Amino acid sequence: MGYSRKRVGRNGKPRYTAYYFDIKGMEKSAGTFSNKKDADAAWQKAEARVSEGRVGDPKRGRQPFERYVLDVWLPNHEMEATTRQKYTYAVHRHLVPEFGNLRMIDILPEHVRQWVATMKRNGISPVTIKSNMVILSAIFTTALHDQVTYLHPCKGVKTPPVVPKPLTIITPEQFNTLYMGLPDSDSQLLVETAIETGLRWGELTELRVKDLDVPSRILTVSRAVVEVNPKFHPQGERFLVKPYPKDKEFRRFKLTAQIVMKLQAHAKAEKLGRNDLFFRWHHDPTPRKRVRVVPDPDKLGYTEPNAAGRSYKHGTCTAYTNGRCRCEHCRAAYAIYRAERRALGKDDPRQPRNRDTDGHIPADWFRRQVWQKALAEAELESRVRIHDLRHAHASWLLSGGADLQVVKERLGHASIKTTEKYLHTLDDADETALDAFTKIRNRSGRRSS
């Protein structure tokens, strides 16, 4: 039972400290107040919270969903840093606005079905809806085990089906075109290593010299790096190196002689030590000056009418601001205008963005500054992601006759069913089947002749 203790403050006035006992029986302070009424209310409130933490106490189920998730479930649920980041954002964006003020025991399957229907009406993708449902289900599974609730409201609630999209498999010819569009030898080696190994981005950018045994050409994948918001990093940094790859299993496989020679030559040229990364971020933060041609508004015509029905000459700041035109001429006009103001000291120059990196290559930087520009240079019709090189590695191996189990082990798949989806994914994979069909189909014609 809690209580309030009176004492005299430095100013001679009475002060009341509220005390309560936690679930372990230890005396704790709930604060100091100027009157006994507030102190009594404080220790009573603290004891109520303690009661919510006792197994079998019905008060546990009366706590709001928001308090249980943010104060109990999220801080104590064991998960990866990237998973914690994803779950935290999803909880605040999709779960708390819907269930935050409801008591845990009041949330029923009908409320979850209404929530799913609302997300669907709001245009949220089936993938996101399913992901949100996984998080909500995990919360109530824990609550059920801890006897906070005695009903799992997610059981029996269906989500919109997630239709898997066809895999984007880049052909060897397309890859060669893309490879030639990369800006330098370092990015070419990184991309070639990705297609030759099938490594995930986090495994590829954490690859170190010591991981490759040159004489045997054996590569050991034993770590991966993830990029997170510093508040989710144990040391408040941007990159977190995990001492295991995905699925928490090391794997070892052999590389081709030509890629091993290139990696060895790269390490020698860069004077890399055994613990150094093969691929490091060498971006120069100094902004490059872009040469812009002053547009001639009299030769460029007019913009489309805006909401007020007004048109403006292309290549003018007015067209950019009032006409909301983002063509190259209007953007150039506005950029020149801003540069002139900065030169005259009327506007503060934009400071270059410094990437918070320990040498690991930021995925978004590589995608925007290297990958997307190479895709544009190659003029590929299909939309290829960096991760699609992993798909291509598996597809090329299987199309070339590699054993399915060997490919599974090289890629580190937990199930062989995951590997099987790469069978017959190249455009010409069905040619042998068509040849076989044509051979049988035309058999009767050959006999009659």
Side-chain angles (χ1 to χ4, degrees):
M1 185 71 175
Y3 64 95
S4 300
R5 179 183 298 167
K6 181 181 178 181
R7 65 180 179 83
V8 179
R10 293 181 179 179
N11 57 3
K13 295 182 179 180
R15 301 285 291 173
Y16 296 85
T17 301
Y19 293 94
Y20 71 100
F21 295 91
D22 64 14
I23 195 170
K24 297 179 181 179
M26 303 294 293
E27 186 179 80
K28 299 288 183 68
S29 170
T32 301
F33 305 87
S34 59
N35 59 79
K36 189 175 185 300
K37 181 180 179 181
D38 290 343
D40 288 341
W43 68 254
Q44 290 169 6
K45 185 176 181 180
E47 283 206 338
R49 286 181 179 270
V50 172
S51 296
E52 291 174 355
R54 291 195 175 97
V55 176
D57 193 317
K59 292 180 181 179
R60 288 163 56 82
R62 297 173 190 163
Q63 59 184 310
F65 175 86
E66 181 176 9
R67 187 203 302 171
Y68 174 76
V69 173
L70 300 184
D71 295 348
V72 179
W73 188 80
L74 262 179
N76 302 312
H77 201 68
E78 179 63 27
M79 63 185 83
E80 299 278 1
T82 50
T83 305
R84 184 173 299 281
Q85 176 176 278
K86 173 186 173 183
Y87 278 22
T88 301
Y89 292 154
V91 162
H92 283 284
R93 183 172 182 179
H94 297 287
L95 276 65
V96 168
E98 181 73 20
F99 304 108
N101 294 326
L102 292 176
R103 299 186 304 177
M104 292 293 291
I105 58 173
D106 291 338
I107 300 175
L108 302 174
E110 63 177 288
H111 300 129
V112 179
R113 278 191 290 270
Q114 292 172 1
W115 172 60
V116 170
T118 300
M119 287 193 291
K120 186 176 179 180
R121 284 195 303 270
N122 291 339
I124 297 176
S125 69
V127 174
T128 303
I129 295 176
K130 183 178 180 180
S131 177
N132 291 336
M133 177 62 84
V134 168
I135 299 172
L136 185 65
S137 181
I139 291 170
F140 276 100
T141 296
T142 305
L144 193 65
H145 290 165
D146 292 347
Q147 298 184 27
V148 174
T149 62
Y150 297 93
L151 172 69
H152 199 308
C154 297
K155 296 297 184 183
V157 179
K158 295 183 177 180
T159 58
V162 177
V163 180
K165 297 181 179 179
L167 290 173
T168 301
I169 303 299
I170 186 172
T171 66
E173 295 77 16
Q174 290 174 325
F175 176 80
N176 290 337
T177 305
L178 174 63
Y179 180 85
M180 298 306 297
L182 292 167
D184 52 58
S185 59
D186 286 350
S187 58
Q188 286 181 331
L189 181 59
L190 185 149
V191 169
E192 187 175 7
T193 304
I195 199 76
E196 289 258 351
T197 61
L199 294 177
R200 302 175 179 93
W201 177 261
E203 298 166 345
L204 180 67
T205 53
E206 173 51 24
L207 200 62
R208 298 178 186 269
V209 175
K210 64 182 179 181
D211 298 324
L212 177 62
D213 182 66
V214 175
S216 65
R217 307 205 313 267
I218 295 294
L219 180 70
T220 301
V221 183
S222 59
R223 300 174 312 282
V225 64
V226 293
E227 187 175 359
V228 296
N229 188 305
K231 66 182 179 181
F232 296 102
H233 192 289
Q235 284 78 43
E237 299 174 0
R238 174 66 67 177
F239 290 89
L240 175 64
V241 177
K242 300 190 298 182
Y244 49 83
K246 190 176 180 181
D247 297 328
K248 301 177 179 61
E249 289 186 4
F250 292 9
R251 62 187 192 275
R252 301 171 73 246
F253 52 87
K254 202 165 189 175
L255 303 184
T256 62
Q258 69 92 21
I259 195 64
V260 170
M261 289 178 59
K262 289 182 178 180
L263 288 170
Q264 186 181 20
H266 173 74
K268 184 176 181 180
E270 296 291 329
K271 298 180 180 179
L272 301 179
R274 280 183 51 80
N275 290 319
D276 290 337
L277 294 168
F278 267 115
F279 309 109
R280 293 182 61 84
W281 193 60
H282 295 300
H283 179 58
D284 182 5
T286 305
R288 299 178 182 177
K289 295 182 178 180
R290 298 178 59 185
V291 179
R292 299 182 183 274
V293 178
V294 180
D296 185 356
D298 295 329
K299 298 180 180 180
L300 299 175
Y302 288 81
T303 64
E304 294 293 328
N306 61 9
R310 297 173 180 169
S311 298
Y312 305 90
K313 286 185 177 182
H314 279 296
T316 62
C317 291
T318 309
Y320 182 90
T321 54
N322 296 347
R324 309 296 296 174
C325 181
R326 295 298 182 266
C327 73
E328 58 176 325
H329 307 295
C330 294
R331 284 190 290 109
Y334 190 72
I336 293 170
Y337 165 74
R338 291 296 305 275
E340 291 175 348
R341 287 185 60 86
R342 287 194 292 269
L344 295 174
K346 295 182 179 180
D347 289 332
D348 293 332
R350 178 183 298 175
Q351 297 298 319
R353 181 185 178 187
N354 294 322
R355 296 303 303 251
D356 182 12
T357 175
D358 56 1
H360 288 96
I361 302 175
D364 64 325
W365 174 86
F366 188 85
R367 182 176 59 253
R368 289 184 288 102
Q369 299 298 328
V370 179
W371 185 254
Q372 291 178 352
K373 292 180 180 179
L375 287 177
E377 181 75 18
E379 298 181 349
L380 294 182
E381 294 182 1
S382 58
R383 186 178 177 183
V384 184
R385 303 169 303 163
I386 301 172
H387 189 72
D388 291 329
L389 298 180
R390 175 174 167 83
H391 300 329
H393 177 78
S395 179
W396 293 8
L397 285 175
L398 293 171
S399 296
D403 182 76
L404 191 63
Q405 181 65 27
V406 172
V407 177
K408 170 187 176 294
E409 293 174 357
R410 285 181 68 93
L411 277 88
H413 288 156
S415 170
I416 201 165
K417 290 185 177 180
T418 305
T419 315
E420 287 177 345
K421 68 182 181 180
Y422 296 104
L423 289 167
H424 312 302
T425 48
L426 284 178
D427 293 340
D428 56 356
D430 282 341
E431 291 298 328
T432 54
L434 293 176
D435 290 342
F437 177 83
T438 303
K439 180 180 179 180
I440 299 300
R441 175 70 178 83
N442 296 333
R443 185 174 61 184
S444 61
R446 289 198 302 271
R447 283 179 178 178
S448 60
S449 62

